[in-house]
Amino acid sequence: MISKCYHPDAMPEPRSFHSLSPILPLLVILSLHAMSAAQTPTQSTSHSIVLHAARLLDVKSGRIVKPGEVLVQGESIVEVGSSVVHPAGAEVIDLGDRTLMPGLIDAHIHLFLHPGAEDLQTVQESVPQRTIMAVLAARDDLMAGFTAERDMGTEGAGSADTAVRDAIDQGLVPGPRLRISGNAINILGGHEDAIGYNPAQHVLANADYANNAAELVAVMRQQFKEGADFTKIYETGPDKVRDGRFSTVYQYTEAELKAAVEEAAREGKRVAVHATGEPGTLFAARAGVASIDHANQLGDETIRLMREKQIFAVPTFTIFEYFAEHAATPARAAHEHEMLDLKVQDFRKQVAMGVPMAVGSDVGPFPHGTQARELVLMVKYGMSPLAVLQADLLNGAKLLGWEGQIGALEGGYLADVVAVAGDPLQDISAVEKVSFLMKGGVVYKK
């Protein structure tokens, strides 16, 4: 997360499972399984579906095809065009005056967070309770059209995200395709170390501790053993604004980050960093991380390296906007708005200088299923609708390691398809109202 901001009125405080019947978690899981079965009808591999709509987005070329059709066989796309083969017995779904496009991708989410006091969720809610809430959050994100996501840390729930990912992959519960990290990694006394609590209470951190290169490697090996797809590291924090200037403290040296990147590469995995300013962002770029998330302030050398190495910036505007609009005090609101204003200025510079962008919202502290707002804000602050859609779909697929499988409507790709009213190249807000949803050839919403 980018900061800790307490909004006790944002959501009713969940009741502790300690005060409820011990069979309630089991009943909730069984009901989720029943809900999943109802939403994911069994389809044989021979079943063909033809999707027809007034328009289809060819995201690579930036063209709108009129009309648009997609032939789906099993979990994959077979053919795409203005007209496709209609096999005998194929189911035809006519979506009328809508635009077919690839399923959306969110490259920065937190399934294990919900609106409210973030630190207190870790203290008051058990990991089993938070895991059930994460399953519900995954369903909400999927139903909003997000068919693939990258979970950037369970905020103290350890490798519980492994269970959520695997349950989705096995068809037990509905949710997006997930890349998961387990806990993020943090230094002692760093960004996620329960600062502000009485130290004698030994409040658990929301991340795993590592204070040097050797400890980083050891923690990463444990997380990979528990099922992590990638590593998330907190590289900066806390963030401050003084006299209109932004500053932040780095947490790991360039050499330490490089050791982490090399260890991840040994396993065929990658590292993402929470990094909001110099010199932390420069250390991360030199080390060769996969993405710099939040990326509030980037120096010219950092930008050059990100262009050269194709390191993605993931701006996460939505969380900054949410904190600014839901601050607990006027002073906090002023601080958050100042942070957002500075972020917008630097983002425009980054776009002009060709920084590769991916789309991530940091959803969790604000309600799951509403994160398409991120695409709207990236257009508002300087990118074209096409550029944002390409950042979301094409760059998102690369960042998540699914290039050539998701992010475009093409033969051989997985059949992750959504439909929206209107033309998203003309009005990006169309992505906030997904009215048809297919993931892996299974229709969840039409």
Side-chain angles (χ1 to χ4, degrees), residues 151-172:
D151 193 286
M152 293 286 284
T154 61
E155 302 283 326
S159 60
D161 52 358
T162 301
V164 176
R165 177 200 61 199
D166 293 351
I168 291 170
D169 288 348
Q170 293 164 20
L172 301 177

Side-chain angles (χ1 to χ4, degrees), residues 119-181:
D119 287 350
L120 293 182
Q121 291 171 38
T122 302
V123 176
Q124 295 176 339
E125 299 169 11
S126 70
V127 171
Q129 179 182 358
R130 296 181 69 204
T131 303
I132 290 172
M133 296 181 72
V135 170
L136 296 173
R139 178 204 61 188
D140 290 345
D141 288 355
L142 176 67
M143 298 308 288
F146 288 86
T147 54
E149 295 184 320
R150 188 177 60 155
D151 193 286
M152 293 286 284
T154 61
E155 302 283 326
S159 60
D161 52 358
T162 301
V164 176
R165 177 200 61 199
D166 293 351
I168 291 170
D169 288 348
Q170 293 164 20
L172 301 177
V173 295
R177 307 178 192 280
L178 290 177
R179 296 298 196 194
I180 54 99
S181 66

Side-chain angles (χ1 to χ4, degrees), residues 26-37:
L26 176 60
L27 293 175
V28 173
I29 292 170
L30 290 173
S31 66
L32 286 171
H33 181 66
M35 173 189 68
S36 171

Side-chain angles (χ1 to χ4, degrees), residues 188-218:
L188 181 67
H191 181 74
E192 286 289 314
D193 193 14
I195 303 300
Y197 287 106
N198 175 4
Q201 296 301 322
H202 301 291
V203 177
L204 296 176
N206 287 354
D208 289 339
Y209 290 128
N211 290 308
N212 53 50
E215 290 181 4
L216 271 169
V217 169

